[in-house]
Amino acid sequence: MRTKTTAGGIGGDRHRSLLAWYRRHRRDLPWRRTRDPYAILVSELMLQQTRVAVVEDRWRRFLERFPDVEALAGASADDVLALWSGLGYYRRARQLHAAARAIRDRHGGRVPAEAARLRELPGVGAYTAAAVASIAFDRPEPPVDGNAARVLARWFRLRGDARSGPAARRLARRAAELVPRDGGAGEWNQALMELGALVCLPRRPRCGACPVASSCGAAAEGRPERYPGPGRATRPVRESVVRAALERNGRWLLRRNGAGETPEGLFEFPALPCPSGRATPAAVARLVERRWGWRVEDCRELGTVRHQILARSILVRVFAARVVAGPAMPPRSAGTFRRVALSRLSELPVSGATLKIARLLARR
DNA sequence: TTCCGGGAAT
DNA sequence: ATTCCCGGAA
């Protein structure tokens, strides 16, 4: 049983080693160069379930477009979603938008500093509330993200599902014990998460480079990758779908997903109700005409695109064709369509799969 | 080519 | 317990 000694307590050797490592090795991320709570809130919302490398560029563009709470709160949902295109989990964008409006309407336009108040904002859970409170306001709150959970699980040999249940509670308690109470909470929390991101890796931890390996329980056991415990259980089911890229006068027809279709409200190349295995250019051309009334020429299979929607792994077969006759827009019952040039795709909210298909079309 | 990591809401 | 996505490591 590891007991809490002076050396291991707050301000002791463990803290000093990790903080020294962090100051030396921390990545120069754009949101670490600002103290603006709004900018930090945006970064944390984006970083939920999304890697740093992807978020970096998106965060810059998002803040350029919506530099403060007021700008975001006053924006349209479509504009916010357009800046989010390809990031996935589009609910986060709607929630961030709603959070900005709540901050404007209920907090006088200032991001609240209390974790409890932050927690009330849409899209802000326990982790994000603690992260913003500590990083932007230096409150002694302990955010436990996947990285911190893994570091703590190994450090203190806490096994089990880190995402919920008793193991998650033990991790939260440890994190709360460790966070400095009189300054430096944000720095400490980021150090813990950075260690998880750079050194205490899920599969092949680099214990040789770890500043706290000498006090790490899992490293002492020699099998650190066994912590925290079992991860995802189910394997994704494989599916296949056919989508039509229809061009008319240099513009492509996109359909907006309706209620119940995911991702809801985003534009995608329209799907066809065709058993993917039997899709041929002729069959696709026939379906397009029957479904939307468009007569097409030069129908051919352009290629395939893969994407994941949680439990499903979807293979998209893309057929491209030129519309030569038919209505400007299909009947209302077929959904909402829009004609858009590839160069203007970034102005619309679109899914990642749509961006992939657009890349396919661009280098045709 | 497959596999895996990563928060919040309901 | 289930739903939401994507990119990069293996």
Side-chain angles (χ1 to χ4, degrees):
Chain A
M1 174 81 183
R2 181 173 299 277
T3 57
K4 188 169 170 181
T5 64
T6 307
I10 290 169
D13 288 347
R14 284 175 186 157
H15 278 70
R16 273 197 295 277
S17 321
L18 180 50
L19 286 170
W21 172 87
Y22 178 64
R23 290 184 191 116
R24 192 171 149 78
H25 296 285
R26 58 182 247 162
R27 290 166 293 178
D28 180 23
L29 305 174
W31 47 90
R32 287 184 176 157
R33 288 170 167 258
T34 179
R35 305 256 13 194
D36 176 8
Y38 163 73
I40 291 170
L41 176 66
V42 172
S43 77
E44 288 299 341
L45 265 292
M46 282 191 175
L47 286 163
Q48 289 172 10
Q49 310 296 297
T50 308
R51 283 183 169 74
V52 164
V54 180
V55 170
E56 269 190 273
D57 184 49
R58 302 315 211 82
W59 181 83
R60 274 195 212 92
R61 278 193 278 157
F62 194 93
L63 281 162
E64 218 166 280
R65 181 79 171 70
F66 310 116
D68 50 39
V69 170
E70 195 61 36
L72 181 56
S76 75
D78 272 3
D79 281 351
V80 177
L81 278 168
L83 270 284
W84 207 272
S85 293
L87 271 180
Y89 292 104
Y90 300 95
R91 176 187 294 170
R92 291 180 300 166
R94 303 180 204 278
Q95 285 165 332
L96 174 57
H97 192 202
R101 292 183 165 171
I103 293 167
R104 179 192 63 190
D105 298 340
R106 299 211 295 272
H107 298 281
R110 308 277 221 160
V111 176
E114 305 289 333
R117 298 284 82 72
L118 287 159
R119 182 68 184 75
E120 293 165 359
L121 298 171
V124 177
Y127 163 77
T128 307
V132 173
S134 64
I135 295 170
F137 300 102
D138 211 32
R139 299 295 171 103
E141 300 284 346
V144 183
D145 73 341
N147 286 319
R150 193 171 55 253
V151 170
L152 294 171
R154 289 173 178 166
W155 210 349
F156 302 101
R157 293 191 311 173
L158 301 172
R159 301 258 305 153
D161 184 353
R163 293 161 304 177
S164 62
R169 282 192 288 279
R170 285 197 296 273
L171 289 167
R173 200 163 53 239
R174 267 302 180 183
E177 285 166 15
L178 288 169
V179 68
R181 267 148 218 299
D182 44 343
E187 178 106 335
W188 168 256
N189 289 332
Q190 291 185 84
L192 209 53
M193 295 189 277
E194 193 77 338
L195 188 69
L198 299 181
V199 172
C200 198
L201 306 173
R203 280 178 278 197
R204 301 196 40 175
R206 303 165 49 215
C207 296
C210 180
V212 299
S214 63
S215 65
C216 176
E221 284 181 353
R223 298 280 301 278
E225 68 282 354
R226 293 200 314 138
Y227 292 85
R232 199 198 298 290
T234 55
R235 250 186 18 268
V237 171
R238 305 175 115 57
E239 289 178 19
S240 186
V241 65
V242 173
R243 287 189 184 274
L246 304 173
E247 181 258 346
R248 190 171 202 175
N249 302 325
R251 295 196 293 172
W252 300 85
L253 286 143
L254 295 182
R255 180 179 175 278
R256 190 197 275 267
N257 284 330
E261 298 175 305
T262 57
E264 187 174 331
L266 270 71
F267 286 91
E268 302 198 279
F269 291 97
L272 287 169
C274 177
S276 177
R278 271 204 293 284
T280 63
V284 167
R286 220 162 28 241
L287 264 174
V288 166
E289 175 155 14
R290 197 168 73 211
R291 202 169 173 74
W292 298 305
W294 290 315
R295 175 157 220 100
V296 300
E297 280 181 359
D298 296 339
C299 187
R300 61 204 178 81
E301 180 163 11
L302 200 63
T304 59
V305 153
R306 267 170 292 108
H307 72 125
Q308 302 271 337
I309 299 185
L310 248 86
R312 291 172 301 164
S313 174
I314 302 170
L315 185 72
V316 185
R317 294 182 66 191
V318 183
F319 287 81
R322 204 175 62 248
V323 177
V324 292
M329 282 293 160
R332 195 102 170 108
S333 58
T336 308
F337 281 76
R338 198 115 127 203
R339 299 166 55 186
V340 56
L342 284 190
S343 59
R344 311 201 67 162
L345 197 62
S346 64
E347 295 167 26
L348 286 184
V350 298
S351 68
T354 305
L355 293 173
K356 286 181 203 164
I357 294 171
R359 283 198 285 275
L360 218 54
L361 296 173
R363 63 177 161 70
R364 196 164 47 119

PDB file of all heavy atoms in Angstrom, chain A residues 250-272:
ATOM      1  N   GLY A 250     -21.692  22.965 -63.580  1.00  0.00           N
ATOM      2  CA  GLY A 250     -20.552  23.252 -62.698  1.00  0.00           C
ATOM      3  C   GLY A 250     -20.871  23.259 -61.218  1.00  0.00           C
ATOM      4  O   GLY A 250     -20.014  23.530 -60.399  1.00  0.00           O
ATOM      5  N   ARG A 251     -22.124  22.959 -60.880  1.00  0.00           N
ATOM      6  CA  ARG A 251     -22.457  22.909 -59.455  1.00  0.00           C
ATOM      7  C   ARG A 251     -22.998  21.526 -59.102  1.00  0.00           C
ATOM      8  O   ARG A 251     -23.575  20.843 -59.936  1.00  0.00           O
ATOM      9  CB  ARG A 251     -23.459  23.997 -59.104  1.00  0.00           C
ATOM     10  CG  ARG A 251     -22.829  25.383 -59.291  1.00  0.00           C
ATOM     11  CD  ARG A 251     -23.612  26.460 -58.617  1.00  0.00           C
ATOM     12  NE  ARG A 251     -24.916  26.689 -59.209  1.00  0.00           N
ATOM     13  CZ  ARG A 251     -25.831  27.492 -58.667  1.00  0.00           C
ATOM     14  NH1 ARG A 251     -25.578  28.122 -57.541  1.00  0.00           N
ATOM     15  NH2 ARG A 251     -26.984  27.658 -59.265  1.00  0.00           N
ATOM     16  N   TRP A 252     -22.825  21.164 -57.845  1.00  0.00           N
ATOM     17  CA  TRP A 252     -23.192  19.823 -57.395  1.00  0.00           C
ATOM     18  C   TRP A 252     -24.404  19.875 -56.497  1.00  0.00           C
ATOM     19  O   TRP A 252     -24.599  20.841 -55.752  1.00  0.00           O
ATOM     20  CB  TRP A 252     -22.010  19.177 -56.658  1.00  0.00           C
ATOM     21  CG  TRP A 252     -20.812  19.073 -57.544  1.00  0.00           C
ATOM     22  CD1 TRP A 252     -19.877  20.048 -57.764  1.00  0.00           C
ATOM     23  CD2 TRP A 252     -20.456  17.964 -58.378  1.00  0.00           C
ATOM     24  NE1 TRP A 252     -18.949  19.609 -58.664  1.00  0.00           N
ATOM     25  CE2 TRP A 252     -19.265  18.332 -59.062  1.00  0.00           C
ATOM     26  CE3 TRP A 252     -21.001  16.705 -58.604  1.00  0.00           C
ATOM     27  CZ2 TRP A 252     -18.636  17.479 -59.952  1.00  0.00           C
ATOM     28  CZ3 TRP A 252     -20.369  15.848 -59.487  1.00  0.00           C
ATOM     29  CH2 TRP A 252     -19.198  16.236 -60.160  1.00  0.00           C
ATOM     30  N   LEU A 253     -25.206  18.841 -56.586  1.00  0.00           N
ATOM     31  CA  LEU A 253     -26.446  18.821 -55.816  1.00  0.00           C
ATOM     32  C   LEU A 253     -26.237  18.153 -54.469  1.00  0.00           C
ATOM     33  O   LEU A 253     -25.844  16.982 -54.394  1.00  0.00           O
ATOM     34  CB  LEU A 253     -27.520  18.093 -56.623  1.00  0.00           C
ATOM     35  CG  LEU A 253     -28.001  18.996 -57.761  1.00  0.00           C
ATOM     36  CD1 LEU A 253     -28.298  18.180 -59.011  1.00  0.00           C
ATOM     37  CD2 LEU A 253     -29.229  19.789 -57.326  1.00  0.00           C
ATOM     38  N   LEU A 254     -26.485  18.928 -53.425  1.00  0.00           N
ATOM     39  CA  LEU A 254     -26.375  18.406 -52.065  1.00  0.00           C
ATOM     40  C   LEU A 254     -27.745  18.417 -51.408  1.00  0.00           C
ATOM     41  O   LEU A 254     -28.546  19.306 -51.653  1.00  0.00           O
ATOM     42  CB  LEU A 254     -25.404  19.256 -51.239  1.00  0.00           C
ATOM     43  CG  LEU A 254     -23.947  19.252 -51.686  1.00  0.00           C
ATOM     44  CD1 LEU A 254     -23.114  20.096 -50.745  1.00  0.00           C
ATOM     45  CD2 LEU A 254     -23.410  17.822 -51.750  1.00  0.00           C
ATOM     46  N   ARG A 255     -27.948  17.420 -50.577  1.00  0.00           N
ATOM     47  CA  ARG A 255     -29.236  17.315 -49.895  1.00  0.00           C
ATOM     48  C   ARG A 255     -29.020  17.501 -48.398  1.00  0.00           C
ATOM     49  O   ARG A 255     -28.070  16.966 -47.824  1.00  0.00           O
ATOM     50  CB  ARG A 255     -29.839  15.938 -50.157  1.00  0.00           C
ATOM     51  CG  ARG A 255     -31.167  15.710 -49.492  1.00  0.00           C
ATOM     52  CD  ARG A 255     -31.724  14.330 -49.814  1.00  0.00           C
ATOM     53  NE  ARG A 255     -32.948  14.092 -49.079  1.00  0.00           N
ATOM     54  CZ  ARG A 255     -32.962  13.680 -47.821  1.00  0.00           C
ATOM     55  NH1 ARG A 255     -31.843  13.429 -47.203  1.00  0.00           N
ATOM     56  NH2 ARG A 255     -34.115  13.506 -47.205  1.00  0.00           N
ATOM     57  N   ARG A 256     -29.911  18.252 -47.782  1.00  0.00           N
ATOM     58  CA  ARG A 256     -29.783  18.486 -46.344  1.00  0.00           C
ATOM     59  C   ARG A 256     -30.480  17.372 -45.570  1.00  0.00           C
ATOM     60  O   ARG A 256     -31.641  17.062 -45.860  1.00  0.00           O
ATOM     61  CB  ARG A 256     -30.390  19.843 -45.969  1.00  0.00           C
ATOM     62  CG  ARG A 256     -30.078  20.256 -44.541  1.00  0.00           C
ATOM     63  CD  ARG A 256     -30.994  21.344 -44.052  1.00  0.00           C
ATOM     64  NE  ARG A 256     -30.581  22.697 -44.389  1.00  0.00           N
ATOM     65  CZ  ARG A 256     -29.837  23.479 -43.594  1.00  0.00           C
ATOM     66  NH1 ARG A 256     -29.401  23.022 -42.461  1.00  0.00           N
ATOM     67  NH2 ARG A 256     -29.551  24.708 -43.965  1.00  0.00           N
ATOM     68  N   ASN A 257     -29.806  16.809 -44.602  1.00  0.00           N
ATOM     69  CA  ASN A 257     -30.406  15.764 -43.772  1.00  0.00           C
ATOM     70  C   ASN A 257     -31.546  16.332 -42.947  1.00  0.00           C
ATOM     71  O   ASN A 257     -31.422  17.390 -42.347  1.00  0.00           O
ATOM     72  CB  ASN A 257     -29.363  15.163 -42.821  1.00  0.00           C
ATOM     73  CG  ASN A 257     -28.427  14.215 -43.534  1.00  0.00           C
ATOM     74  OD1 ASN A 257     -28.810  13.568 -44.508  1.00  0.00           O
ATOM     75  ND2 ASN A 257     -27.206  14.133 -43.064  1.00  0.00           N
ATOM     76  N   GLY A 258     -32.650  15.611 -42.914  1.00  0.00           N
ATOM     77  CA  GLY A 258     -33.806  16.037 -42.141  1.00  0.00           C
ATOM     78  C   GLY A 258     -33.770  15.473 -40.727  1.00  0.00           C
ATOM     79  O   GLY A 258     -32.781  14.860 -40.316  1.00  0.00           O
ATOM     80  N   ALA A 259     -34.864  15.687 -39.998  1.00  0.00           N
ATOM     81  CA  ALA A 259     -34.959  15.199 -38.631  1.00  0.00           C
ATOM     82  C   ALA A 259     -34.807  13.676 -38.624  1.00  0.00           C
ATOM     83  O   ALA A 259     -35.383  12.988 -39.445  1.00  0.00           O
ATOM     84  CB  ALA A 259     -36.291  15.606 -38.022  1.00  0.00           C
ATOM     85  N   GLY A 260     -33.989  13.174 -37.726  1.00  0.00           N
ATOM     86  CA  GLY A 260     -33.821  11.740 -37.613  1.00  0.00           C
ATOM     87  C   GLY A 260     -32.726  11.180 -38.507  1.00  0.00           C
ATOM     88  O   GLY A 260     -32.316  10.040 -38.358  1.00  0.00           O
ATOM     89  N   GLU A 261     -32.252  12.010 -39.447  1.00  0.00           N
ATOM     90  CA  GLU A 261     -31.134  11.571 -40.272  1.00  0.00           C
ATOM     91  C   GLU A 261     -29.846  12.144 -39.681  1.00  0.00           C
ATOM     92  O   GLU A 261     -29.827  13.301 -39.285  1.00  0.00           O
ATOM     93  CB  GLU A 261     -31.306  12.070 -41.713  1.00  0.00           C
ATOM     94  CG  GLU A 261     -32.550  11.533 -42.385  1.00  0.00           C
ATOM     95  CD  GLU A 261     -32.765  12.134 -43.772  1.00  0.00           C
ATOM     96  OE1 GLU A 261     -32.806  13.370 -43.895  1.00  0.00           O
ATOM     97  OE2 GLU A 261     -32.894  11.356 -44.724  1.00  0.00           O
ATOM     98  N   THR A 262     -28.809  11.333 -39.627  1.00  0.00           N
ATOM     99  CA  THR A 262     -27.568  11.840 -39.047  1.00  0.00           C
ATOM    100  C   THR A 262     -26.508  12.002 -40.124  1.00  0.00           C
ATOM    101  O   THR A 262     -26.431  11.175 -41.020  1.00  0.00           O
ATOM    102  CB  THR A 262     -27.032  10.890 -37.971  1.00  0.00           C
ATOM    103  OG1 THR A 262     -26.855   9.615 -38.556  1.00  0.00           O
ATOM    104  CG2 THR A 262     -27.932  10.816 -36.780  1.00  0.00           C
ATOM    105  N   PRO A 263     -25.682  13.019 -39.986  1.00  0.00           N
ATOM    106  CA  PRO A 263     -25.809  14.108 -39.018  1.00  0.00           C
ATOM    107  C   PRO A 263     -26.910  15.085 -39.441  1.00  0.00           C
ATOM    108  O   PRO A 263     -26.874  15.602 -40.543  1.00  0.00           O
ATOM    109  CB  PRO A 263     -24.448  14.791 -39.043  1.00  0.00           C
ATOM    110  CG  PRO A 263     -23.737  14.284 -40.248  1.00  0.00           C
ATOM    111  CD  PRO A 263     -24.478  13.145 -40.820  1.00  0.00           C
ATOM    112  N   GLU A 264     -27.848  15.296 -38.519  1.00  0.00           N
ATOM    113  CA  GLU A 264     -29.020  16.102 -38.812  1.00  0.00           C
ATOM    114  C   GLU A 264     -28.662  17.536 -39.201  1.00  0.00           C
ATOM    115  O   GLU A 264     -27.813  18.150 -38.567  1.00  0.00           O
ATOM    116  CB  GLU A 264     -29.937  16.125 -37.586  1.00  0.00           C
ATOM    117  CG  GLU A 264     -31.268  16.805 -37.838  1.00  0.00           C
ATOM    118  CD  GLU A 264     -32.203  16.683 -36.636  1.00  0.00           C
ATOM    119  OE1 GLU A 264     -32.094  15.698 -35.897  1.00  0.00           O
ATOM    120  OE2 GLU A 264     -33.016  17.603 -36.443  1.00  0.00           O
ATOM    121  N   GLY A 265     -29.304  18.019 -40.256  1.00  0.00           N
ATOM    122  CA  GLY A 265     -29.107  19.414 -40.651  1.00  0.00           C
ATOM    123  C   GLY A 265     -27.888  19.650 -41.523  1.00  0.00           C
ATOM    124  O   GLY A 265     -27.693  20.749 -42.018  1.00  0.00           O
ATOM    125  N   LEU A 266     -27.053  18.629 -41.707  1.00  0.00           N
ATOM    126  CA  LEU A 266     -25.873  18.814 -42.537  1.00  0.00           C
ATOM    127  C   LEU A 266     -26.156  18.412 -43.976  1.00  0.00           C
ATOM    128  O   LEU A 266     -27.036  17.590 -44.243  1.00  0.00           O
ATOM    129  CB  LEU A 266     -24.699  18.006 -41.978  1.00  0.00           C
ATOM    130  CG  LEU A 266     -23.846  18.774 -40.965  1.00  0.00           C
ATOM    131  CD1 LEU A 266     -24.617  18.965 -39.682  1.00  0.00           C
ATOM    132  CD2 LEU A 266     -22.532  18.082 -40.710  1.00  0.00           C
ATOM    133  N   PHE A 267     -25.414  18.996 -44.886  1.00  0.00           N
ATOM    134  CA  PHE A 267     -25.583  18.671 -46.302  1.00  0.00           C
ATOM    135  C   PHE A 267     -24.693  17.499 -46.691  1.00  0.00           C
ATOM    136  O   PHE A 267     -23.545  17.408 -46.258  1.00  0.00           O
ATOM    137  CB  PHE A 267     -25.232  19.880 -47.170  1.00  0.00           C
ATOM    138  CG  PHE A 267     -26.277  20.957 -47.132  1.00  0.00           C
ATOM    139  CD1 PHE A 267     -26.206  21.975 -46.201  1.00  0.00           C
ATOM    140  CD2 PHE A 267     -27.338  20.939 -48.024  1.00  0.00           C
ATOM    141  CE1 PHE A 267     -27.180  22.975 -46.158  1.00  0.00           C
ATOM    142  CE2 PHE A 267     -28.317  21.921 -47.997  1.00  0.00           C
ATOM    143  CZ  PHE A 267     -28.234  22.945 -47.059  1.00  0.00           C
ATOM    144  N   GLU A 268     -25.252  16.613 -47.526  1.00  0.00           N
ATOM    145  CA  GLU A 268     -24.473  15.485 -48.022  1.00  0.00           C
ATOM    146  C   GLU A 268     -24.857  15.195 -49.468  1.00  0.00           C
ATOM    147  O   GLU A 268     -25.926  15.603 -49.931  1.00  0.00           O
ATOM    148  CB  GLU A 268     -24.740  14.241 -47.174  1.00  0.00           C
ATOM    149  CG  GLU A 268     -24.428  14.432 -45.707  1.00  0.00           C
ATOM    150  CD  GLU A 268     -24.284  13.105 -44.980  1.00  0.00           C
ATOM    151  OE1 GLU A 268     -25.302  12.499 -44.618  1.00  0.00           O
ATOM    152  OE2 GLU A 268     -23.130  12.688 -44.793  1.00  0.00           O
ATOM    153  N   PHE A 269     -23.977  14.484 -50.141  1.00  0.00           N
ATOM    154  CA  PHE A 269     -24.357  13.987 -51.454  1.00  0.00           C
ATOM    155  C   PHE A 269     -25.474  12.976 -51.232  1.00  0.00           C
ATOM    156  O   PHE A 269     -25.372  12.125 -50.355  1.00  0.00           O
ATOM    157  CB  PHE A 269     -23.159  13.343 -52.144  1.00  0.00           C
ATOM    158  CG  PHE A 269     -22.109  14.340 -52.541  1.00  0.00           C
ATOM    159  CD1 PHE A 269     -21.007  14.570 -51.735  1.00  0.00           C
ATOM    160  CD2 PHE A 269     -22.257  15.070 -53.713  1.00  0.00           C
ATOM    161  CE1 PHE A 269     -20.047  15.511 -52.093  1.00  0.00           C
ATOM    162  CE2 PHE A 269     -21.304  16.023 -54.079  1.00  0.00           C
ATOM    163  CZ  PHE A 269     -20.203  16.238 -53.266  1.00  0.00           C
ATOM    164  N   PRO A 270     -26.565  13.082 -52.019  1.00  0.00           N
ATOM    165  CA  PRO A 270     -27.737  12.260 -51.739  1.00  0.00           C
ATOM    166  C   PRO A 270     -27.452  10.761 -51.857  1.00  0.00           C
ATOM    167  O   PRO A 270     -26.719  10.328 -52.736  1.00  0.00           O
ATOM    168  CB  PRO A 270     -28.757  12.711 -52.788  1.00  0.00           C
ATOM    169  CG  PRO A 270     -27.987  13.450 -53.821  1.00  0.00           C
ATOM    170  CD  PRO A 270     -26.775  14.003 -53.143  1.00  0.00           C
ATOM    171  N   ALA A 271     -28.048  10.008 -50.943  1.00  0.00           N
ATOM    172  CA  ALA A 271     -27.891   8.555 -50.961  1.00  0.00           C
ATOM    173  C   ALA A 271     -28.981   7.930 -51.814  1.00  0.00           C
ATOM    174  O   ALA A 271     -30.052   8.509 -51.984  1.00  0.00           O
ATOM    175  CB  ALA A 271     -27.968   8.018 -49.538  1.00  0.00           C
ATOM    176  N   LEU A 272     -28.702   6.759 -52.358  1.00  0.00           N
ATOM    177  CA  LEU A 272     -29.681   6.051 -53.173  1.00  0.00           C
ATOM    178  C   LEU A 272     -30.064   4.733 -52.511  1.00  0.00           C
ATOM    179  O   LEU A 272     -29.206   4.047 -51.969  1.00  0.00           O
ATOM    180  CB  LEU A 272     -29.091   5.768 -54.559  1.00  0.00           C
ATOM    181  CG  LEU A 272     -28.973   6.988 -55.456  1.00  0.00           C
ATOM    182  CD1 LEU A 272     -28.134   6.664 -56.674  1.00  0.00           C
ATOM    183  CD2 LEU A 272     -30.355   7.462 -55.882  1.00  0.00           C
TER     184      LEU A 272
END
